[in-house]
Amino acid sequence: MMRELRVEDALMYLDQVKMEFGDRPHIYNEFLDIMKTFKSQAIDTPGVIRRVASLFHGNRRLVLGFNTFLPE
């Protein structure tokens, strides 16, 4: 059974992204833009997965962490 996600989990993940790309804030900002676009339903789940995987390419930990927030 999957555990319930809390707001704190999402905020911790955002902090991880921010720290990981501290030297490249444009990547963090692009991630936030992707999330806003997804929230407004301008892109679907497969679209958001592609964009985030592409943005975080090579950073397996962040890509896998993002999976936590996706529907089954």
Side-chain angles (χ1 to χ4, degrees), residues 35-53:
M35 292 298 97
K36 285 181 204 150
T37 306
F38 181 59
K39 190 174 181 187
S40 72
Q41 299 180 335
I43 55 174
D44 58 3
T45 301
V48 80
I49 292 168
R50 275 193 304 276
R51 290 175 70 177
V52 169

Side-chain angles (χ1 to χ4, degrees), residues 1-68:
M1 191 173 128
M2 244 181 88
R3 67 184 180 86
E4 201 170 310
L5 289 170
R6 301 171 322 214
V7 171
E8 293 82 20
D9 297 321
L11 294 175
M12 277 178 24
Y13 182 74
L14 275 177
D15 279 346
Q16 285 178 352
V17 173
K18 195 174 204 173
M19 284 190 307
E20 187 69 35
F21 298 109
D23 57 336
R24 292 171 287 171
H26 63 281
I27 294 180
Y28 176 72
N29 291 328
E30 188 172 335
F31 176 69
L32 294 180
D33 287 342
I34 293 169
M35 292 298 97
K36 285 181 204 150
T37 306
F38 181 59
K39 190 174 181 187
S40 72
Q41 299 180 335
I43 55 174
D44 58 3
T45 301
V48 80
I49 292 168
R50 275 193 304 276
R51 290 175 70 177
V52 169
S54 172
L55 185 66
F56 293 166
H57 180 72
N59 193 316
R60 186 174 162 80
R61 186 175 56 85
L62 286 181
V63 172
L64 291 176
F66 184 70
N67 288 343
T68 307

